Amino acid sequence: AQWPEDVEAQVAWHVREYEEFQRRFERGGMSAAKQGDWVVLQSLLSHGWCPDLHRDRRGASALHWAAGHGHTECVEALLASGSVQPDDRSGDGATPFLWASCGVSGNSFGTGGHVDTVKILLSWRGFDLGAGAGPGPGEGHPLLHACLDDRNTCVHWAAWGGDLDTLRYLCEISDDPLAMCQARNSRGCTTAHWACGSGNLEACRFLAGLGVDFSHRATNHNSNTPLSKAVAHARLNIVEFLIDRQRAEAAESGEQAHHDKGAAELALELATETGEEIRQEISKLCTAAV
């Protein structure tokens, strides 16, 4: 900001700046991490603030929040403090790496991963890769294959968040990306269920191109399929994608088993459990697909 020429006004400006900094400082490190306030965070750390001792009700640290919001400078400052590590766990077993994979905006989760933050956490120089782990990202890296208590991994959350760069990068550094994306959580869901539920078309296309199963045979433990997830969450773009994909596969194979229902027919059946407006929109998609 440009200083006013009047000396009295200069003094008043400095006082306001100091008071504003003091207010941000008093809010603490968790707030600074969420807001990406690197100046305040560095000041707190230099005055002895310990991130590991200050957690929210979920057990998440400032590193979780900084990573989830993609505040790379704050992430590096917190890691450099030595108080928290990339494999730090919240109450449900989530790491800052998982938060970075799905993205956070305010208090909303799954808003889009942050690939730059993911890379920082994977390659952080102070992180112990653990016994038997490889020398860098990829096979054996504990962060890449770490699970939450519900057995969700970074790719489940990345598919949910829908940031294609993050999802693609995680697959690129995996020794077996298809197996990682086909892995099921405790409810039997794969990345296909997560991506269809979130409604991110590009993530669905990428995973389908990788070979992930999006068919009606990909059921979870509650018999939900990627299509039923898309219908339940009113993801009309995904419903259309799945209908078109099923038709293309049927045309390519030249036949379709008579006992198998098409995606359009299944979508219409599932739509009976939704609201009238969504049911009408799905009916239009299915009619267009005939």
Side-chain angles (χ1 to χ4, degrees):
Q2 185 176 359
W3 288 8
E5 295 181 0
D6 183 78
V7 175
E8 183 177 347
Q10 290 183 29
V11 172
W13 183 85
H14 280 288
V15 169
R16 289 194 300 271
E17 286 291 297
Y18 172 77
E19 291 175 344
E20 173 59 24
F21 177 83
Q22 186 177 34
R23 283 192 292 269
R24 287 154 46 205
F25 188 90
E26 289 173 351
R27 293 189 192 110
M30 195 71 76
S31 175
K34 291 180 181 180
Q35 300 299 322
D37 195 337
W38 177 81
V39 173
V40 167
L41 191 61
Q42 280 282 58
S43 182
L44 285 162
L45 291 169
S46 67
H47 283 79
W49 181 72
C50 182
D52 187 43
L53 300 179
H54 296 81
R55 295 177 179 269
D56 65 15
R57 58 184 176 84
R58 300 183 184 90
S61 69
L63 183 57
H64 284 85
W65 285 103
H69 283 89
H71 299 317
T72 55
E73 288 186 329
C74 291
V75 167
E76 291 175 331
L78 289 163
L79 289 171
S81 74
S83 176
V84 283
Q85 293 291 328
D87 62 346
D88 183 55
R89 298 272 181 167
S90 61
D92 62 356
T95 63
F97 178 73
L98 281 164
W99 282 42
S101 297
C102 73
V104 179
S105 179
N107 290 319
S108 300
F109 285 74
T111 57
H114 305 283
V115 67
D116 291 340
T117 305
V118 163
K119 291 177 179 179
I120 289 171
L121 291 165
L122 274 173
S123 60
W124 180 248
R125 62 182 180 276
F127 180 55
D128 182 7
L129 290 174
E139 183 177 0
H141 199 294
L143 289 180
L144 194 61
H145 301 287
C147 295
L148 285 87
D149 295 343
D150 58 10
R151 290 172 54 193
N152 280 309
T153 66
C154 60
V155 288
H156 289 102
W157 277 29
W160 171 35
D163 181 72
L164 187 57
D165 289 339
T166 300
L167 184 59
R168 182 185 287 116
Y169 176 72
L170 293 172
C171 290
E172 285 175 352
I173 64 174
S174 172
D175 54 303
D176 193 345
L178 179 57
M180 183 170 67
C181 292
Q182 287 276 55
R184 297 178 179 272
N185 65 13
S186 60
R187 295 183 178 182
C189 293
T190 69
T191 53
H193 295 83
W194 280 101
C196 288
S198 72
N200 189 281
L201 183 57
E202 290 305 314
C204 288
R205 285 174 172 163
F206 172 76
L207 291 168
L210 197 65
V212 175
D213 188 4
F214 280 78
S215 75
H216 64 279
R217 297 181 182 86
T219 57
N220 66 10
H221 299 330
N222 292 321
S223 299
N224 287 314
T225 64
L227 177 61
S228 65
K229 287 287 187 180
V231 172
H233 291 279
R235 309 301 190 188
L236 298 178
N237 59 332
I238 307 302
V239 173
E240 184 176 18
F241 163 74
L242 294 173
I243 291 173
D244 290 344
R245 178 174 173 78
Q246 189 270 337
R247 289 181 64 205
E249 289 177 346
E252 184 177 348
S253 64
E255 61 179 357
Q256 181 177 329
H258 293 295
H259 63 273
D260 278 355
K261 294 181 179 178
E265 187 177 353
L266 290 169
L268 278 172
E269 290 184 2
L270 292 165
T272 60
E273 301 177 8
T274 65
E276 180 62 27
E277 183 178 351
I278 299 302
R279 186 160 55 249
Q280 290 179 2
E281 291 298 323
I282 291 177
S283 179
K284 290 178 185 178
L285 288 177
C286 296
T287 301
V290 175

